[in-house]
Amino acid sequence: MFLERLAWASLGGTALALGVWLLCRLFPKTPAAVRFWLWWAVPAKLLLGLVPALSLAVLPASPVAPMQRASVAVHSLAVAARPRTAPKRVPAAPERFATAPRELTGAPARAVAVPVSLPDSLLFLWLAGGLVALARSLAKIPSAGALAGGRVGEGYLEVPGLGPLVRGLVRPVIVLPTGLTEGERQLALAHERAHIQRGDPWLALVPLAARVVFWFLPTVSLAERALATAREEDCDFRARRATGASAREYGALLLKLTHTPAGTGSLAMASPAFSQLQSRLKTLAVPQKRVPLWPLLLPGTLVLPGWRLSERGQLVQSPSPLPVRYRRENLATLGGRYSDAFAITDSGQVLGAANGTDGKGRATRWQDGTITPLSDQRSIAFAASALGEVAVTALKSGGHRRALWQSTHGVQELSGLPGFPETVAVGVTAQGSVVGSVLRSQGAGSRAVVWEAGVVRELGTLGGPSSQASAANANGWVVGKADLSATQTHAFLYDGTRLRDLGTLGGRNSRATAINARGQVVGVSETAHGERVAFLWSEATGMRALPGSNGIALAVNDEGQVVGQADSHAALWSPDGTPVPLEPSLVVARGINQRGELVGQGWVGEDLRAFRLTPIVAP
């Protein structure tokens, strides 16, 4: 019966949990990735122990009659999880009646109380406890209404007082809290992207199901806390590897998030308990190594014969081959392990950032097989003109951003506006103008601007407090986002005279990220259902959605080819909007030139590196 299988599954799972606990105590330096899979095997073993046809006994199995054993084998998973009713037993006929039947004597019939059996009572108690556990688990997941007022960023949703966390399964959304600096935001994004790369939104379903089914078992809570700590430590490790952040910088962010109302979620970056925070801070100081997979075979043999657990995050180390029409080139770093490409010119010049051995990311140019640092400060090169002039944004001492214009005449710092001392440069025009934004020091507002011959000119807003420029085309048209109010932001197009509101796809917020010479604009918009969708806008068609979940379009060439990110991978759309498959290890595509060459960032082993895809012309 079901309660008996529940008891045996509980004993088997507890035995495995004790073994894993002992293993982790004997080897305290076990990498977080291995500890996660060891502890994840505990709830998996508990759940599989309920299925007699699949369970592998750690303890002796209960005796089953031959006919019962045969019936078990044909039961499905759903049927096997339900208690089977025992066949009715026909009582033996009595030798004699002590009294005549009441129907014949006419005596009034009395109601006979049917006693409730102990198994039925226990089953009812188990069911009630499971429903309570399920309700409590679902209550911890942020609702869609909590995200409705969020602001759409580049690859994330910013919601006051919530996050950092990942919400969703098929279409995971990264949620970040407001009030983070740019550096902190990049660290938080890297951490949450690591969750998605590992497949944590799906893997978390197993401990969730075990929590509901085995709500009475302390082993489940022990395993869940341990695997959550290991999961966060592994994502911390991946985020630091991806960004080059020091342990001090990353630890400061963890402490800041601890004192920030981050909401609750199964994949929240903030530590819900002090013990987990303490463990994560200690782990930051311990060098992590690439781990072999043989220790992961142990829980696999205890959970199910023939299963082998492997780390999903390592899938990128054996990427599937690219379509034959592209050749991938992983761009070099400045001695570190991180690089990112943001733009590529028609001459093949690639602009972006790469870090050195000190972990500091610097504006970088790749051309003809050579790599050239463009600054000795923390900086990013966002765009370049046909003459080789480069727009750079640097992070000065004190965390202040400063736009730089690098030409053959040297490097020029671009000035801000009164009350907006910080500057960001993101694009250039054919006439040598630089587009970008000026910002207040405390991040309380911004203005889209154009620098012409070093003189700054404001482009205005759509009636709200702020606007930001994202890019410009060769004709000098500028796109970006601008506030309509304190809670609503729309994509805009500046055509040399005024800002035009490009609207949304039904939601409250949108943002334009790039524009080509034909006036086609791409970006990201919320829908009426709160989803984030990449869009392509033109004067003839207006704004239309591009396929893919949780998407953002980041660049478009004059042929109408669009690149960006969708479904948690780099995305390429043909001029008619049809998705073009790319290698899964490519995280995001940020730029495309007129020759169809793509640049962006992707996984190389455990490192995030800039890449370049070159079309291969068929013979």
Side-chain angles (χ1 to χ4, degrees):
M1 51 188 299
F2 175 72
L3 291 179
E4 190 175 3
R5 289 201 302 274
L6 191 68
W8 284 112
S10 300
L11 289 175
T14 300
L16 177 59
L18 290 175
V20 173
W21 176 83
L22 181 61
L23 187 65
C24 292
R25 294 283 291 182
L26 293 175
F27 302 97
K29 294 185 179 181
T30 303
V34 174
R35 282 188 284 114
F36 168 81
W37 283 112
L38 290 171
W39 282 111
W40 187 87
V42 174
K45 169 61 181 174
L46 286 167
L47 295 173
L48 289 171
L50 297 177
V51 188
L54 295 179
S55 63
L56 175 68
V58 175
L59 298 177
S62 58
V64 181
M67 289 302 295
Q68 291 175 318
R69 190 180 301 273
S71 66
V72 166
V74 298
H75 274 53
S76 67
L77 179 62
V79 174
R82 297 200 304 266
R84 298 191 300 275
T85 57
K88 296 182 178 180
R89 301 179 62 184
V90 180
E95 295 181 3
R96 66 179 185 273
F97 286 104
T99 59
R102 295 184 183 274
E103 293 81 359
L104 300 179
T105 61
R110 293 184 299 172
V112 179
V114 179
V116 179
S117 66
L118 179 60
D120 289 341
S121 300
L122 293 177
L123 187 62
F124 177 79
L125 179 62
W126 169 81
L127 183 60
L131 292 175
V132 172
L134 178 61
R136 293 179 62 182
S137 299
L138 295 178
K140 295 180 180 180
I141 301 175
S143 64
L147 309 181
R151 298 168 66 90
V152 178
E154 188 173 321
Y156 63 92
L157 186 65
E158 195 173 55
V159 180
L162 188 64
L165 56 87
V166 175
R167 182 186 183 276
L169 288 173
V170 180
R171 299 175 179 177
V173 176
I174 296 177
V175 180
L176 299 183
T178 55
L180 298 180
T181 66
E182 182 61 27
E184 292 170 342
R185 186 179 298 112
Q186 293 304 317
L187 290 179
L189 280 173
H191 179 98
E192 301 307 327
R193 285 169 180 160
H195 278 303
I196 297 175
Q197 288 288 331
R198 284 168 39 94
D200 285 334
W202 291 98
L203 292 173
L205 294 178
V206 172
L208 172 62
R211 186 194 317 155
V212 173
V213 177
F214 296 89
W215 56 268
F216 55 88
L217 194 63
T219 303
V220 175
S221 299
L222 169 67
E224 195 168 17
R225 288 194 300 268
L227 74 86
T229 299
R231 177 184 63 207
E232 297 305 317
E233 289 176 4
D234 188 40
C235 288
D236 292 341
F237 166 62
R238 290 166 180 259
R240 286 187 58 202
R241 289 281 294 271
T243 60
S246 66
R248 182 182 296 272
E249 290 174 319
Y250 200 88
L253 175 59
L254 293 181
L255 291 172
K256 178 177 180 178
L257 293 175
T258 302
H259 298 289
T260 301
T264 55
S266 59
L267 299 178
M269 182 179 179
S271 298
F274 175 75
S275 59
Q276 186 186 96
L277 174 64
Q278 188 178 34
S279 176
R280 293 172 68 182
L281 291 175
K282 288 181 179 179
T283 306
L284 291 178
V286 179
Q288 298 285 311
K289 299 179 180 180
R290 187 172 178 177
V291 298
L293 295 181
W294 66 263
L296 303 182
L297 298 177
L298 174 62
T301 58
L302 294 177
V303 173
L304 188 65
W307 277 27
R308 187 172 73 90
L309 300 181
S310 59
E311 187 181 356
R312 182 170 176 174
Q314 301 299 326
L315 290 177
V316 297
Q317 296 177 2
S318 301
S320 57
L322 277 171
V324 294
R325 57 179 174 276
Y326 287 106
R327 176 176 58 85
R328 176 175 177 176
E329 175 188 0
N330 296 317
L331 302 180
T333 70
L334 295 172
R337 313 187 67 166
Y338 166 88
S339 58
D340 199 352
F342 283 81
I344 181 170
T345 66
D346 293 341
S347 63
Q349 181 181 181
V350 180
L351 290 307
N355 66 357
T357 55
D358 58 356
K360 183 185 296 185
R362 296 174 175 84
T364 303
R365 173 168 51 206
W366 294 269
Q367 190 170 25
D368 299 328
T370 62
I371 178 172
T372 305
L374 302 178
S375 174
D376 59 356
Q377 308 170 61
R378 292 188 183 273
S379 53
I380 298 175
F382 284 106
S385 69
L387 300 178
E389 301 160 321
V390 183
V392 175
T393 296
L395 192 65
K396 296 283 190 175
S397 58
H400 298 293
R401 287 159 287 188
R402 179 62 64 184
L404 306 177
W405 178 238
Q406 187 177 86
S407 66
T408 54
H409 303 293
V411 179
Q412 176 186 2
E413 284 198 8
L414 302 177
S415 61
L417 291 171
F420 298 85
E422 296 191 43
T423 55
V424 174
V426 295
V428 297
T429 69
Q431 295 76 28
S433 299
V434 183
V435 301
S437 305
V438 294
L439 306 93
R440 297 188 189 276
S441 296
Q442 302 303 320
S446 59
R447 295 288 190 275
V449 297
V450 174
W451 287 275
E452 296 167 330
V455 179
V456 60
R457 176 169 58 90
E458 182 181 348
L459 302 183
T461 72
L462 292 175
S466 298
S467 62
Q468 292 182 9
S470 299
N473 65 7
N475 303 323
W477 290 14
V478 182
V479 295
K481 66 175 184 177
D483 294 341
L484 278 70
S485 65
T487 60
Q488 193 171 14
T489 302
H490 281 191
F492 76 76
L493 167 62
Y494 178 77
D495 58 6
T497 58
R498 62 185 178 89
L499 262 64
R500 293 180 55 186
D501 185 348
L502 300 185
T504 71
L505 291 172
R508 294 182 59 83
N509 301 306
S510 62
R511 177 184 182 182
T513 57
I515 181 173
N516 63 13
R518 297 164 54 191
Q520 292 177 306
V521 181
V522 297
V524 59
S525 174
E526 290 178 348
T527 67
H529 303 291
E531 299 172 335
R532 196 187 75 155
V533 179
F535 73 77
L536 172 64
W537 179 96
S538 70
E539 196 74 56
T541 65
M543 186 179 293
R544 59 187 178 95
L546 295 172
S549 64
N550 197 27
I552 180 171
L554 295 173
V556 55
N557 63 12
D558 292 347
E559 296 296 323
Q561 294 175 298
V562 182
V563 297
Q565 184 184 60
D567 302 308
S568 302
H569 299 294
L572 168 63
W573 294 275
S574 62
D576 63 358
T578 303
V580 178
L582 294 177
E583 182 181 344
S585 67
L586 302 181
V587 177
V588 59
R590 301 188 189 274
I592 184 170
N593 62 13
Q594 308 309 326
R595 298 188 296 187
E597 297 173 308
L598 283 66
V599 295
Q601 188 180 53
W603 290 101
V604 178
E606 295 181 349
D607 302 332
L608 279 173
R609 295 274 295 276
F611 70 80
R612 172 177 177 171
L613 297 186
T614 303
I616 298 176
V617 179

